[in-house]
Amino acid sequence: LASRNHPARAGLPSHAHSAARRPRWTAANQTTMALSMTSARPAALSSRVSSGLAKNRAPCAAPSRGSLQVMAASKKKDVRLTITLECTEQKASGVQGMSRYMSQKNRRNTSERLELMKYNKYLRKHTLHRELKK
């Protein structure tokens, strides 16, 4: 529709005008582009980049031979724990099934066992749910 109104694009499909202006990328064009980009870099910048002293970066020491760096955090140091809450009244009632909920707690804020009133679908009422021992 836009090609009908524009005199230079008359008779062309609507997508043809954008493809006509774009340069074609061939392997020869890519290699010349790559060569021009590498030669345009200043010598001072390339020496800083290769030595690890680029802007906003601290120089890093090379790891010694045979050393292994462990990046994963330990499970015991994790502050948030996934806990299981189980109903305290259901075993005594004799109803089949067990009402359990999964939740999380912060180890630093609540070090003791967690007790919450949660809905028990087997007894159809809110009951006391206590944190299970791991």
Side-chain angles (χ1 to χ4, degrees):
L1 301 176
S3 62
R4 291 181 192 162
N5 299 335
H6 199 278
R9 297 186 198 140
L12 292 176
S14 61
H15 59 80
H17 67 276
S18 60
R21 278 191 266 152
R22 258 187 261 136
R24 286 192 99 84
W25 287 101
T26 62
N29 287 350
Q30 289 177 354
T31 54
T32 56
M33 184 67 119
L35 288 174
S36 66
M37 289 175 67
T38 55
S39 61
R41 185 186 323 173
L45 178 63
S46 61
S47 65
R48 280 187 293 163
V49 170
S50 63
S51 66
L53 297 174
K55 186 178 179 184
N56 298 332
R57 287 195 182 182
C60 53
S64 63
R65 202 169 182 82
S67 68
L68 178 66
Q69 293 180 347
V70 178
M71 300 301 279
S74 173
K75 279 287 188 184
K76 292 184 180 181
K77 301 282 183 182
D78 201 13
V79 177
R80 294 207 67 78
L81 297 173
T82 302
I83 60 168
T84 305
L85 300 169
E86 186 178 75
C87 180
T88 56
E89 300 175 17
Q90 192 159 351
K91 286 183 183 175
S93 68
V95 177
Q96 285 189 342
M98 184 53 66
S99 175
R100 288 188 176 166
Y101 285 91
M102 298 294 285
S103 184
Q104 288 186 344
K105 77 170 187 176
N106 191 323
R107 183 186 293 185
R108 290 187 187 146
N109 296 341
T110 52
S111 57
E112 66 277 352
R113 288 221 189 135
L114 196 60
E115 293 181 348
L116 294 173
M117 293 297 284
K118 302 289 266 180
Y119 182 75
N120 186 330
K121 64 181 182 181
Y122 301 102
L123 299 176
R124 296 185 183 143
K125 63 179 183 176
H126 281 82
T127 59
L128 182 68
H129 284 66
R130 200 168 280 144
E131 180 182 343
L132 286 179
K133 191 185 231 181
K134 289 272 177 172

